[in-house]
PDB file of all heavy atoms in Angstrom:
ATOM      1  N   GLU A 146       3.493  -5.427  21.855  1.00  0.00           N
ATOM      2  CA  GLU A 146       2.206  -5.713  21.395  1.00  0.00           C
ATOM      3  C   GLU A 146       1.287  -6.148  22.445  1.00  0.00           C
ATOM      4  O   GLU A 146       1.648  -6.864  23.415  1.00  0.00           O
ATOM      5  CB  GLU A 146       2.239  -6.834  20.285  1.00  0.00           C
ATOM      6  CG  GLU A 146       2.735  -6.385  18.987  1.00  0.00           C
ATOM      7  CD  GLU A 146       2.638  -7.357  17.840  1.00  0.00           C
ATOM      8  OE1 GLU A 146       2.595  -8.518  18.183  1.00  0.00           O
ATOM      9  OE2 GLU A 146       2.592  -7.006  16.686  1.00  0.00           O
ATOM     10  N   ASP A 148      -1.976  -8.323  24.095  1.00  0.00           N
ATOM     11  CA  ASP A 148      -2.354  -9.690  24.024  1.00  0.00           C
ATOM     12  C   ASP A 148      -3.259  -9.949  22.823  1.00  0.00           C
ATOM     13  O   ASP A 148      -3.164 -10.878  22.057  1.00  0.00           O
ATOM     14  CB  ASP A 148      -3.050 -10.188  25.266  1.00  0.00           C
ATOM     15  CG  ASP A 148      -2.010 -10.304  26.486  1.00  0.00           C
ATOM     16  OD1 ASP A 148      -0.803 -10.340  26.128  1.00  0.00           O
ATOM     17  OD2 ASP A 148      -2.423 -10.293  27.597  1.00  0.00           O
ATOM     18  N   GLU A 149      -4.099  -8.933  22.508  1.00  0.00           N
ATOM     19  CA  GLU A 149      -5.022  -9.042  21.354  1.00  0.00           C
ATOM     20  C   GLU A 149      -4.243  -8.994  20.062  1.00  0.00           C
ATOM     21  O   GLU A 149      -4.601  -9.913  19.189  1.00  0.00           O
ATOM     22  CB  GLU A 149      -6.050  -7.873  21.426  1.00  0.00           C
ATOM     23  CG  GLU A 149      -7.035  -7.904  22.614  1.00  0.00           C
ATOM     24  CD  GLU A 149      -6.474  -7.384  23.818  1.00  0.00           C
ATOM     25  OE1 GLU A 149      -5.252  -6.951  23.860  1.00  0.00           O
ATOM     26  OE2 GLU A 149      -7.136  -7.556  24.939  1.00  0.00           O
ATOM     27  N   HIS A 150      -3.281  -8.274  20.035  1.00  0.00           N
ATOM     28  CA  HIS A 150      -2.503  -8.152  18.686  1.00  0.00           C
ATOM     29  C   HIS A 150      -1.661  -9.437  18.584  1.00  0.00           C
ATOM     30  O   HIS A 150      -1.470  -9.955  17.363  1.00  0.00           O
ATOM     31  CB  HIS A 150      -1.586  -6.902  18.720  1.00  0.00           C
ATOM     32  CG  HIS A 150      -2.254  -5.635  18.351  1.00  0.00           C
ATOM     33  ND1 HIS A 150      -1.705  -4.422  18.163  1.00  0.00           N
ATOM     34  CD2 HIS A 150      -3.639  -5.429  18.105  1.00  0.00           C
ATOM     35  CE1 HIS A 150      -2.608  -3.600  17.744  1.00  0.00           C
ATOM     36  NE2 HIS A 150      -3.820  -4.138  17.751  1.00  0.00           N
ATOM     37  N   LYS A 151      -1.134  -9.919  19.659  1.00  0.00           N
ATOM     38  CA  LYS A 151      -0.374 -11.207  19.586  1.00  0.00           C
ATOM     39  C   LYS A 151      -1.242 -12.407  19.073  1.00  0.00           C
ATOM     40  O   LYS A 151      -0.794 -13.144  18.386  1.00  0.00           O
ATOM     41  CB  LYS A 151       0.263 -11.523  20.909  1.00  0.00           C
ATOM     42  CG  LYS A 151       1.340 -10.573  21.438  1.00  0.00           C
ATOM     43  CD  LYS A 151       1.863 -10.911  22.780  1.00  0.00           C
ATOM     44  CE  LYS A 151       2.977 -10.049  23.239  1.00  0.00           C
ATOM     45  NZ  LYS A 151       3.424 -10.238  24.595  1.00  0.00           N
ATOM     46  N   ALA A 152      -2.546 -12.327  19.655  1.00  0.00           N
ATOM     47  CA  ALA A 152      -3.393 -13.411  19.200  1.00  0.00           C
ATOM     48  C   ALA A 152      -3.807 -13.280  17.719  1.00  0.00           C
ATOM     49  O   ALA A 152      -3.905 -14.345  17.109  1.00  0.00           O
ATOM     50  CB  ALA A 152      -4.637 -13.357  20.092  1.00  0.00           C
ATOM     51  N   LEU A 153      -4.035 -12.083  17.358  1.00  0.00           N
ATOM     52  CA  LEU A 153      -4.378 -11.837  15.910  1.00  0.00           C
ATOM     53  C   LEU A 153      -3.241 -12.245  14.979  1.00  0.00           C
ATOM     54  O   LEU A 153      -3.466 -12.853  14.007  1.00  0.00           O
ATOM     55  CB  LEU A 153      -4.713 -10.355  15.723  1.00  0.00           C
ATOM     56  CG  LEU A 153      -5.045  -9.899  14.279  1.00  0.00           C
ATOM     57  CD1 LEU A 153      -6.247 -10.624  13.759  1.00  0.00           C
ATOM     58  CD2 LEU A 153      -5.275  -8.354  14.212  1.00  0.00           C
ATOM     59  N   ARG A 154      -2.020 -11.816  15.383  1.00  0.00           N
ATOM     60  CA  ARG A 154      -0.802 -12.199  14.658  1.00  0.00           C
ATOM     61  C   ARG A 154      -0.708 -13.674  14.465  1.00  0.00           C
ATOM     62  O   ARG A 154      -0.461 -14.195  13.390  1.00  0.00           O
ATOM     63  CB  ARG A 154       0.399 -11.566  15.265  1.00  0.00           C
ATOM     64  CG  ARG A 154       1.750 -11.796  14.361  1.00  0.00           C
ATOM     65  CD  ARG A 154       2.918 -11.066  15.051  1.00  0.00           C
ATOM     66  NE  ARG A 154       2.837  -9.649  15.129  1.00  0.00           N
ATOM     67  CZ  ARG A 154       3.153  -8.895  14.158  1.00  0.00           C
ATOM     68  NH1 ARG A 154       3.532  -9.441  12.947  1.00  0.00           N
ATOM     69  NH2 ARG A 154       3.052  -7.615  14.249  1.00  0.00           N
ATOM     70  N   LYS A 155      -0.893 -14.457  15.556  1.00  0.00           N
ATOM     71  CA  LYS A 155      -0.754 -15.876  15.526  1.00  0.00           C
ATOM     72  C   LYS A 155      -1.837 -16.542  14.637  1.00  0.00           C
ATOM     73  O   LYS A 155      -1.598 -17.434  13.866  1.00  0.00           O
ATOM     74  CB  LYS A 155      -0.876 -16.400  16.945  1.00  0.00           C
ATOM     75  CG  LYS A 155      -0.725 -17.932  17.070  1.00  0.00           C
ATOM     76  CD  LYS A 155      -0.739 -18.429  18.530  1.00  0.00           C
ATOM     77  CE  LYS A 155      -0.619 -19.908  18.649  1.00  0.00           C
ATOM     78  NZ  LYS A 155      -0.662 -20.344  20.150  1.00  0.00           N
ATOM     79  N   ALA A 156      -3.053 -15.952  14.823  1.00  0.00           N
ATOM     80  CA  ALA A 156      -4.196 -16.509  14.034  1.00  0.00           C
ATOM     81  C   ALA A 156      -3.979 -16.316  12.554  1.00  0.00           C
ATOM     82  O   ALA A 156      -4.249 -17.185  11.761  1.00  0.00           O
ATOM     83  CB  ALA A 156      -5.484 -15.907  14.466  1.00  0.00           C
ATOM     84  N   VAL A 157      -3.575 -15.074  12.175  1.00  0.00           N
ATOM     85  CA  VAL A 157      -3.368 -14.849  10.683  1.00  0.00           C
ATOM     86  C   VAL A 157      -2.224 -15.603  10.159  1.00  0.00           C
ATOM     87  O   VAL A 157      -2.279 -16.094   9.118  1.00  0.00           O
ATOM     88  CB  VAL A 157      -3.059 -13.257  10.504  1.00  0.00           C
ATOM     89  CG1 VAL A 157      -2.821 -13.013   9.002  1.00  0.00           C
ATOM     90  CG2 VAL A 157      -4.293 -12.446  10.948  1.00  0.00           C
ATOM     91  N   SER A 158      -1.206 -15.829  10.913  1.00  0.00           N
ATOM     92  CA  SER A 158      -0.024 -16.598  10.536  1.00  0.00           C
ATOM     93  C   SER A 158      -0.382 -17.976  10.334  1.00  0.00           C
ATOM     94  O   SER A 158      -0.008 -18.575   9.189  1.00  0.00           O
ATOM     95  CB  SER A 158       1.139 -16.584  11.537  1.00  0.00           C
ATOM     96  OG  SER A 158       2.179 -17.293  11.181  1.00  0.00           O
ATOM     97  N   SER A 159      -1.255 -18.539  11.174  1.00  0.00           N
ATOM     98  CA  SER A 159      -1.622 -19.937  11.064  1.00  0.00           C
ATOM     99  C   SER A 159      -2.499 -20.060   9.729  1.00  0.00           C
ATOM    100  O   SER A 159      -2.395 -21.033   8.970  1.00  0.00           O
ATOM    101  CB  SER A 159      -2.410 -20.403  12.214  1.00  0.00           C
ATOM    102  OG  SER A 159      -2.986 -21.675  12.074  1.00  0.00           O
ATOM    103  N   PHE A 160      -3.413 -19.049   9.634  1.00  0.00           N
ATOM    104  CA  PHE A 160      -4.370 -19.107   8.443  1.00  0.00           C
ATOM    105  C   PHE A 160      -3.563 -18.933   7.144  1.00  0.00           C
ATOM    106  O   PHE A 160      -3.774 -19.723   6.179  1.00  0.00           O
ATOM    107  CB  PHE A 160      -5.296 -17.882   8.499  1.00  0.00           C
ATOM    108  CG  PHE A 160      -5.939 -17.563   7.217  1.00  0.00           C
ATOM    109  CD1 PHE A 160      -7.070 -18.195   6.814  1.00  0.00           C
ATOM    110  CD2 PHE A 160      -5.507 -16.470   6.493  1.00  0.00           C
ATOM    111  CE1 PHE A 160      -7.631 -17.855   5.592  1.00  0.00           C
ATOM    112  CE2 PHE A 160      -6.099 -16.080   5.289  1.00  0.00           C
ATOM    113  CZ  PHE A 160      -7.191 -16.821   4.864  1.00  0.00           C
ATOM    114  N   ALA A 161      -2.509 -18.083   7.115  1.00  0.00           N
ATOM    115  CA  ALA A 161      -1.852 -17.860   5.868  1.00  0.00           C
ATOM    116  C   ALA A 161      -1.022 -18.962   5.445  1.00  0.00           C
ATOM    117  O   ALA A 161      -0.829 -19.215   4.149  1.00  0.00           O
ATOM    118  CB  ALA A 161      -0.902 -16.632   6.032  1.00  0.00           C
ATOM    119  N   ARG A 162      -0.541 -19.804   6.366  1.00  0.00           N
ATOM    120  CA  ARG A 162       0.339 -20.929   6.091  1.00  0.00           C
ATOM    121  C   ARG A 162      -0.451 -22.153   5.603  1.00  0.00           C
ATOM    122  O   ARG A 162       0.137 -23.080   5.105  1.00  0.00           O
ATOM    123  CB  ARG A 162       1.200 -21.223   7.260  1.00  0.00           C
ATOM    124  CG  ARG A 162       2.197 -20.157   7.544  1.00  0.00           C
ATOM    125  CD  ARG A 162       3.075 -20.427   8.828  1.00  0.00           C
ATOM    126  NE  ARG A 162       3.706 -19.177   9.201  1.00  0.00           N
ATOM    127  CZ  ARG A 162       4.866 -18.623   8.606  1.00  0.00           C
ATOM    128  NH1 ARG A 162       5.349 -19.267   7.560  1.00  0.00           N
ATOM    129  NH2 ARG A 162       5.356 -17.593   9.073  1.00  0.00           N
ATOM    130  N   THR A 163      -1.822 -22.136   5.816  1.00  0.00           N
ATOM    131  CA  THR A 163      -2.627 -23.250   5.454  1.00  0.00           C
ATOM    132  C   THR A 163      -3.461 -22.972   4.240  1.00  0.00           C
ATOM    133  O   THR A 163      -4.275 -23.768   3.717  1.00  0.00           O
ATOM    134  CB  THR A 163      -3.460 -23.694   6.689  1.00  0.00           C
ATOM    135  OG1 THR A 163      -4.148 -22.621   7.117  1.00  0.00           O
ATOM    136  CG2 THR A 163      -2.691 -24.230   7.759  1.00  0.00           C
ATOM    137  N   HIS A 164      -3.534 -21.681   3.829  1.00  0.00           N
ATOM    138  CA  HIS A 164      -4.275 -21.219   2.685  1.00  0.00           C
ATOM    139  C   HIS A 164      -3.320 -20.737   1.568  1.00  0.00           C
ATOM    140  O   HIS A 164      -2.953 -19.578   1.453  1.00  0.00           O
ATOM    141  CB  HIS A 164      -5.286 -20.190   3.043  1.00  0.00           C
ATOM    142  CG  HIS A 164      -6.476 -20.574   3.817  1.00  0.00           C
ATOM    143  ND1 HIS A 164      -6.307 -20.999   5.160  1.00  0.00           N
ATOM    144  CD2 HIS A 164      -7.833 -20.808   3.405  1.00  0.00           C
ATOM    145  CE1 HIS A 164      -7.524 -21.328   5.626  1.00  0.00           C
ATOM    146  NE2 HIS A 164      -8.413 -21.316   4.571  1.00  0.00           N
ATOM    147  N   LEU A 170      -7.988 -16.841  -1.566  1.00  0.00           N
ATOM    148  CA  LEU A 170      -7.379 -16.317  -0.411  1.00  0.00           C
ATOM    149  C   LEU A 170      -8.204 -15.047   0.098  1.00  0.00           C
ATOM    150  O   LEU A 170      -8.373 -14.883   1.286  1.00  0.00           O
ATOM    151  CB  LEU A 170      -5.912 -16.066  -0.621  1.00  0.00           C
ATOM    152  CG  LEU A 170      -5.141 -15.537   0.622  1.00  0.00           C
ATOM    153  CD1 LEU A 170      -5.093 -16.511   1.733  1.00  0.00           C
ATOM    154  CD2 LEU A 170      -3.707 -15.096   0.189  1.00  0.00           C
ATOM    155  N   ALA A 173     -11.486 -15.966   1.651  1.00  0.00           N
ATOM    156  CA  ALA A 173     -11.254 -16.788   2.910  1.00  0.00           C
ATOM    157  C   ALA A 173     -10.852 -15.853   4.028  1.00  0.00           C
ATOM    158  O   ALA A 173     -11.253 -15.916   5.124  1.00  0.00           O
ATOM    159  CB  ALA A 173     -10.215 -17.904   2.682  1.00  0.00           C
ATOM    160  N   ALA A 174      -9.943 -14.896   3.659  1.00  0.00           N
ATOM    161  CA  ALA A 174      -9.488 -13.846   4.755  1.00  0.00           C
ATOM    162  C   ALA A 174     -10.573 -12.942   5.108  1.00  0.00           C
ATOM    163  O   ALA A 174     -10.803 -12.671   6.353  1.00  0.00           O
ATOM    164  CB  ALA A 174      -8.278 -13.108   4.125  1.00  0.00           C
ATOM    165  N   LEU A 177     -13.175 -14.492   7.617  1.00  0.00           N
ATOM    166  CA  LEU A 177     -12.595 -14.477   9.026  1.00  0.00           C
ATOM    167  C   LEU A 177     -12.456 -13.045   9.614  1.00  0.00           C
ATOM    168  O   LEU A 177     -12.054 -12.872  10.732  1.00  0.00           O
ATOM    169  CB  LEU A 177     -11.231 -15.120   9.088  1.00  0.00           C
ATOM    170  CG  LEU A 177     -11.332 -16.652   8.755  1.00  0.00           C
ATOM    171  CD1 LEU A 177      -9.873 -17.180   8.689  1.00  0.00           C
ATOM    172  CD2 LEU A 177     -12.109 -17.406   9.819  1.00  0.00           C
ATOM    173  N   GLY A 178     -12.820 -12.051   8.767  1.00  0.00           N
ATOM    174  CA  GLY A 178     -12.828 -10.684   9.292  1.00  0.00           C
ATOM    175  C   GLY A 178     -11.526  -9.984   9.060  1.00  0.00           C
ATOM    176  O   GLY A 178     -11.291  -8.844   9.632  1.00  0.00           O
ATOM    177  N   TYR A 179     -10.554 -10.552   8.459  1.00  0.00           N
ATOM    178  CA  TYR A 179      -9.217  -9.963   8.325  1.00  0.00           C
ATOM    179  C   TYR A 179      -9.103  -8.820   7.283  1.00  0.00           C
ATOM    180  O   TYR A 179      -8.411  -7.801   7.593  1.00  0.00           O
ATOM    181  CB  TYR A 179      -8.221 -11.067   7.869  1.00  0.00           C
ATOM    182  CG  TYR A 179      -8.066 -12.167   8.826  1.00  0.00           C
ATOM    183  CD1 TYR A 179      -7.695 -13.456   8.533  1.00  0.00           C
ATOM    184  CD2 TYR A 179      -8.130 -11.960  10.261  1.00  0.00           C
ATOM    185  CE1 TYR A 179      -7.516 -14.545   9.302  1.00  0.00           C
ATOM    186  CE2 TYR A 179      -7.995 -12.929  11.126  1.00  0.00           C
ATOM    187  CZ  TYR A 179      -7.713 -14.270  10.698  1.00  0.00           C
ATOM    188  OH  TYR A 179      -7.535 -15.256  11.621  1.00  0.00           O
ATOM    189  N   VAL A 182     -10.842  -5.631   8.950  1.00  0.00           N
ATOM    190  CA  VAL A 182     -10.551  -5.461  10.399  1.00  0.00           C
ATOM    191  C   VAL A 182     -10.428  -3.993  10.790  1.00  0.00           C
ATOM    192  O   VAL A 182     -10.680  -3.687  11.938  1.00  0.00           O
ATOM    193  CB  VAL A 182      -9.210  -6.171  10.764  1.00  0.00           C
ATOM    194  CG1 VAL A 182      -8.023  -5.471  10.208  1.00  0.00           C
ATOM    195  CG2 VAL A 182      -9.109  -6.333  12.250  1.00  0.00           C
ATOM    196  N   LEU A 200      -0.889  -5.425  10.580  1.00  0.00           N
ATOM    197  CA  LEU A 200      -0.474  -6.644  11.157  1.00  0.00           C
ATOM    198  C   LEU A 200      -0.880  -7.865  10.221  1.00  0.00           C
ATOM    199  O   LEU A 200      -0.153  -8.858   9.999  1.00  0.00           O
ATOM    200  CB  LEU A 200      -1.037  -6.735  12.561  1.00  0.00           C
ATOM    201  CG  LEU A 200      -0.614  -7.971  13.473  1.00  0.00           C
ATOM    202  CD1 LEU A 200      -0.778  -7.485  14.974  1.00  0.00           C
ATOM    203  CD2 LEU A 200      -1.436  -9.236  13.147  1.00  0.00           C
ATOM    204  N   VAL A 201      -2.184  -7.833   9.821  1.00  0.00           N
ATOM    205  CA  VAL A 201      -2.665  -8.820   8.928  1.00  0.00           C
ATOM    206  C   VAL A 201      -1.876  -8.958   7.701  1.00  0.00           C
ATOM    207  O   VAL A 201      -1.495 -10.055   7.286  1.00  0.00           O
ATOM    208  CB  VAL A 201      -4.243  -8.540   8.616  1.00  0.00           C
ATOM    209  CG1 VAL A 201      -4.654  -9.516   7.613  1.00  0.00           C
ATOM    210  CG2 VAL A 201      -5.063  -8.779   9.866  1.00  0.00           C
ATOM    211  N   LEU A 202      -1.643  -7.823   7.018  1.00  0.00           N
ATOM    212  CA  LEU A 202      -0.930  -7.928   5.778  1.00  0.00           C
ATOM    213  C   LEU A 202       0.560  -8.382   5.949  1.00  0.00           C
ATOM    214  O   LEU A 202       0.991  -9.074   5.134  1.00  0.00           O
ATOM    215  CB  LEU A 202      -0.945  -6.469   5.159  1.00  0.00           C
ATOM    216  CG  LEU A 202      -0.179  -6.298   3.790  1.00  0.00           C
ATOM    217  CD1 LEU A 202      -0.810  -7.310   2.725  1.00  0.00           C
ATOM    218  CD2 LEU A 202      -0.298  -4.974   3.254  1.00  0.00           C
ATOM    219  N   GLU A 204       1.693 -10.431   8.100  1.00  0.00           N
ATOM    220  CA  GLU A 204       1.681 -11.932   8.436  1.00  0.00           C
ATOM    221  C   GLU A 204       1.359 -12.738   7.089  1.00  0.00           C
ATOM    222  O   GLU A 204       1.907 -13.762   6.913  1.00  0.00           O
ATOM    223  CB  GLU A 204       0.793 -12.345   9.507  1.00  0.00           C
ATOM    224  CG  GLU A 204       1.337 -11.925  10.924  1.00  0.00           C
ATOM    225  CD  GLU A 204       2.623 -12.420  11.250  1.00  0.00           C
ATOM    226  OE1 GLU A 204       2.907 -13.592  10.937  1.00  0.00           O
ATOM    227  OE2 GLU A 204       3.484 -11.631  11.790  1.00  0.00           O
ATOM    228  N   LEU A 205       0.401 -12.133   6.321  1.00  0.00           N
ATOM    229  CA  LEU A 205       0.148 -12.807   5.003  1.00  0.00           C
ATOM    230  C   LEU A 205       1.441 -12.877   4.125  1.00  0.00           C
ATOM    231  O   LEU A 205       1.744 -13.783   3.569  1.00  0.00           O
ATOM    232  CB  LEU A 205      -0.966 -12.056   4.349  1.00  0.00           C
ATOM    233  CG  LEU A 205      -2.303 -12.278   4.894  1.00  0.00           C
ATOM    234  CD1 LEU A 205      -3.418 -11.297   4.199  1.00  0.00           C
ATOM    235  CD2 LEU A 205      -2.893 -13.735   4.808  1.00  0.00           C
ATOM    236  N   ALA A 208       4.106 -15.303   5.146  1.00  0.00           N
ATOM    237  CA  ALA A 208       3.742 -16.609   4.817  1.00  0.00           C
ATOM    238  C   ALA A 208       3.919 -16.868   3.199  1.00  0.00           C
ATOM    239  O   ALA A 208       3.508 -17.883   2.748  1.00  0.00           O
ATOM    240  CB  ALA A 208       2.405 -17.050   5.273  1.00  0.00           C
TER     241      ALA A 208
END
Side-chain angles (χ1 to χ4, degrees):
E146 283 192 338
D148 291 340
E149 290 79 6
H150 280 187
K151 289 177 182 177
L153 178 60
R154 187 180 291 279
K155 183 178 179 181
V157 176
S158 177
S159 176
F160 162 80
R162 295 178 193 283
T163 55
H164 286 73
L170 184 61
L177 292 173
Y179 297 148
V182 70
L200 186 157
V201 171
L202 181 57
E204 289 304 319
L205 289 171

